[in-house]
Amino acid sequence: MQALDNLVKIQQLKPEPPDAQEFAGMCRAGEIKLNDALIQGLSEDSQFSLAYGAAHALSLAALCWHGYRSDSRFLVF
């Protein structure tokens, strides 16, 4: 976690207490997007967008669970 703490020091991440309800909501959103990406008949572009959204939601959930927040998609990944 030292790397994440270093990002807090340079104000790239914000410390924030974990919120179990928010975490559950982010996980649920990620799972829904991931399942939707598997729908037959969607274009590859739509499938990619849904999978990317799922990966972002689940990555952000992991960050938040450990007490961090980021407004930057790059840092979330």
Side-chain angles (χ1 to χ4, degrees):
M1 295 293 176
Q2 182 161 354
L4 297 176
D5 290 335
N6 288 339
L7 289 171
V8 170
K9 288 178 187 174
I10 62 171
Q11 299 179 355
Q12 294 295 306
L13 286 179
K14 300 170 194 165
E16 184 175 284
D19 180 320
Q21 281 187 317
E22 182 180 34
F23 174 77
M26 288 178 186
C27 288
R28 191 169 40 256
E31 289 174 20
I32 289 169
K33 288 179 191 319
L34 196 55
N35 286 330
D36 286 352
L38 299 173
I39 294 173
Q40 295 295 316
L42 290 178
S43 69
E44 288 179 0
D45 185 52
S46 293
Q47 288 177 319
F48 176 83
S49 293
L50 286 163
Y52 179 89
H56 180 261
L58 295 170
S59 297
L60 184 58
L63 254 185
C64 290
W65 183 256
H66 290 285
Y68 301 97
R69 172 76 64 174
S70 176
D71 296 326
S72 166
R73 281 189 174 266
F74 175 78
L75 284 177
V76 169
F77 284 115

